[in-house]
Amino acid sequence: MTTSSSPDINPSQLLRYIVQVDGLDTPERIGEAREQLTGLGLLVDRIEQGEIEVAVSQGVNPGADGIHDTLEAAGFSVINIQADAS
C-alpha cells in the first residue's frame, strides 16, 4: 500500500474550504466577506457567524494563503482554514 501526501488532482474537481473567521457580526461585514471571496473566484456556499464555506475548481484555486491574506487585508481575523477535496 502506498500513501501520498498529495492526491492526484483533477483540474475540474472542486476543492472546498471551511474558513473560521472573526468579524462576521453584521450583515454588512458578511456582505464584505462574500464580496472579497467571490473576487478571488470562489463560490460562497455558506456564511454564518464565525464560519464560511467556499468552493473553487482546482484550476483557479487561490489557495489557503490567498484566502487568508484577502480576508485579513479586509479587516477580518482568520482563525483557521481547512481544505477538503470533494
Side-chain angles (χ1 to χ4, degrees):
M1 180 166 95
T2 316
T3 60
S4 172
S5 60
S6 58
D8 292 334
I9 295 175
N10 177 347
S12 65
Q13 181 180 25
L14 284 183
L15 180 66
R16 295 192 182 281
Y17 289 98
I18 305 295
V19 184
Q20 295 174 340
V21 58
D22 280 338
L24 298 172
D25 45 11
T26 66
E28 292 80 15
R29 293 295 282 162
I30 289 170
E32 184 176 349
R34 181 183 300 277
E35 185 176 311
Q36 294 293 323
L37 294 168
T38 56
L40 287 175
L42 298 167
L43 303 170
V44 179
D45 289 337
R46 176 178 55 85
I47 295 183
E48 55 189 47
Q49 190 169 6
E51 191 169 273
I52 303 170
E53 183 176 348
V54 295
V56 65
S57 69
Q58 297 283 358
V60 295
N61 184 2
D65 289 341
I67 295 169
H68 178 273
D69 293 348
T70 297
L71 289 174
E72 290 275 333
F76 295 96
S77 177
V78 178
I79 299 164
N80 188 42
I81 299 177
Q82 180 179 3
D84 176 33
S86 52

